[in-house]
Amino acid sequence: MTHSAPPKTGQAAPKGAAEPQVRTVRVPADRAGQRLDNFLLGQLKGAPRSLVYKLVRSGQVRVNGGRAKAERKLEDGDEVRIPPVRLAEAGDRPTPPRGLLDALEAAIVFEDARLLALNKPSGLASHGGSGISHGAIESLRALRPGQTLELVHRLDRDTSGLLVVAKKRSALTELQALMREDGGITKRYLALLTGRMPDGVMTVDAPLHIGLRQGGERHVQVNPAGKPSLSHFRVLERRGGQSYCEVRIETGRTHQIRVHAQHIGHPIAGDDKYGEAEANKRLRDQAGLKRLFLHASTLEFALDGGKAPYLLNAPLAPELVDVLDRLG
């Protein structure tokens, strides 16, 4: 079911290109449970996430004839109205620099027929968006033209470590279902927390709420009205008065580890959003820490209904190893 309409959003189409049209797409069974924003990103290849959110907020996207929120979970047979959007042809988009592609090729820590796991460097966004031309997924697609590659999850831009990409739709669906299950995927991070944490495991059970600051920047805080969030911090060793910890999370909220660390009075070293400016400056001067000391180190899960176990590891980034060495 397709209707013509004048284009409203996006970039100018090349001369001779067909006018984009309103489309109504029926959600197939294998997309049931997918969020509306992620479904739209799959339909509007190359569209920045900021544009997708704008289309949803303005009511140009409809589900079964009504307005919907970006986080709505779609059901089999839902009808999604997709407005006309002109996007630059694939050949018109700038190619990621060769140096970035080579670095990403070297950063692949695991690959089989279903999955690819990347040890994402700090400073690289998981996907492109407003002001970001090349995220990890766009760069991987440029590295592997013709392959189907879909992000299974995201990492903060400043966080390094394991980023898993599905090469098959079946793997993506199963992994996303595991992420929604309690204990479906075990996620462990390595972090340097400022100050001396107590021995043993400290469990933080504190709900998190995402708010917006002036300018649209997301800021997360502990709030009883927020979503349940659970993190377990365990000190591995102490270096220079700081605590090097393993963090296991049972939920995957935005900025969860960073806000929970701040909540217990031991923010993550190098965190310029939730951390302590004086402590960050001291660690920069003493140990050369110039980034957030948070690294996604381990993911453990099983596909095929538990028959195919995976244990993925990404070694700590060299610049973070250097910081630990300098702290003695």
Side-chain angles (χ1 to χ4, degrees):
M1 186 160 53
T2 305
H3 312 280
S4 293
K8 293 181 184 175
T9 319
Q11 301 175 15
K15 282 185 180 176
E19 285 292 309
Q21 298 178 317
V22 170
R23 292 183 290 139
T24 300
V25 179
R26 189 182 292 271
V27 176
D30 68 351
R31 299 288 170 128
Q34 187 173 32
R35 284 171 51 127
L36 175 60
D37 52 355
N38 291 331
F39 180 78
L40 291 169
L41 284 166
Q43 294 290 324
L44 299 169
K45 294 289 187 191
R49 190 168 284 265
S50 54
L51 172 59
V52 166
Y53 286 132
K54 182 179 175 184
L55 294 172
V56 173
R57 277 197 310 270
S58 63
Q60 293 182 62
V61 173
R62 301 274 171 145
V63 178
N64 301 329
R67 293 177 75 126
K69 292 188 174 179
E71 61 270 21
R72 172 169 172 166
K73 300 284 178 63
L74 297 172
E75 296 179 13
D76 179 16
D78 278 350
E79 293 194 337
V80 181
R81 176 196 188 273
I82 302 176
V85 175
R86 280 195 183 122
L87 296 167
E89 294 299 308
D92 296 338
R93 288 197 296 274
T95 328
R98 187 72 243 171
L100 174 59
L101 297 184
D102 290 344
L104 284 193
E105 183 75 70
I108 294 170
V109 291
F110 175 84
E111 185 172 6
D112 66 5
R114 294 190 276 202
L115 301 175
L116 182 154
L118 184 72
N119 189 356
K120 184 188 82 66
S122 175
L124 177 67
S126 296
H127 53 75
S130 49
I132 300 169
S133 309
H134 313 297
I137 188 63
E138 292 84 9
S139 302
L140 281 171
R141 285 172 182 153
L143 193 61
R144 305 284 183 86
Q147 279 194 24
T148 299
L149 299 173
E150 299 287 348
L151 273 179
V152 172
H153 62 116
R154 295 190 289 276
L155 282 181
D156 285 354
R157 184 175 184 172
D158 296 331
T159 304
S160 57
L162 279 172
L163 188 65
V164 179
V165 173
K167 296 165 71 176
K168 292 188 175 179
R169 179 70 207 171
S170 55
L172 178 67
T173 305
E174 192 172 1
L175 276 165
Q176 289 180 334
L178 286 173
M179 288 197 160
R180 291 192 291 271
E181 282 178 24
D182 285 344
I185 298 183
T186 302
K187 304 176 197 171
R188 289 188 173 88
Y189 289 71
L190 295 170
L192 185 70
L193 272 59
T194 54
R196 294 180 66 83
M197 285 273 291
D199 287 333
V201 176
M202 180 182 284
T203 293
V204 183
D205 185 353
L208 297 177
H209 174 72
I210 300 178
L212 288 179
R213 283 184 163 168
Q214 201 169 3
E217 182 194 7
R218 287 186 304 176
H219 189 82
V220 181
Q221 56 188 15
V222 172
N223 186 315
K227 292 184 176 178
S229 307
L230 193 59
S231 306
H232 307 281
F233 294 83
R234 180 169 68 90
V235 177
L236 299 174
E237 56 181 312
R238 293 194 177 83
R239 292 285 181 105
Q242 320 302 324
S243 304
Y244 180 48
C245 298
E246 179 188 78
V247 190
R248 182 170 63 84
I249 58 172
E250 295 194 31
T251 49
R253 311 297 180 209
T254 300
H255 299 170
Q256 176 173 325
I257 296 174
R258 298 166 68 180
V259 180
H260 276 177
Q262 177 199 45
H263 182 62
I264 58 176
H266 296 280
I268 294 179
D271 192 341
D272 58 9
K273 190 165 191 169
Y274 302 102
E276 298 170 348
E278 282 187 22
N280 290 344
K281 183 179 184 306
R282 196 163 57 247
L283 283 164
R284 187 184 182 100
D285 294 344
Q286 291 176 357
L289 179 62
K290 298 173 183 174
R291 51 157 287 197
L292 177 74
F293 200 126
L294 182 61
H295 179 80
S297 61
T298 310
L299 283 171
E300 195 170 356
F301 54 89
L303 294 180
D304 296 339
K307 295 175 188 169
Y310 284 78
L311 177 58
L312 305 179
N313 291 290
L316 193 63
E319 69 270 18
L320 297 185
V321 175
D322 291 344
V323 167
L324 290 177
D325 288 345
R326 289 190 196 107
L327 285 172

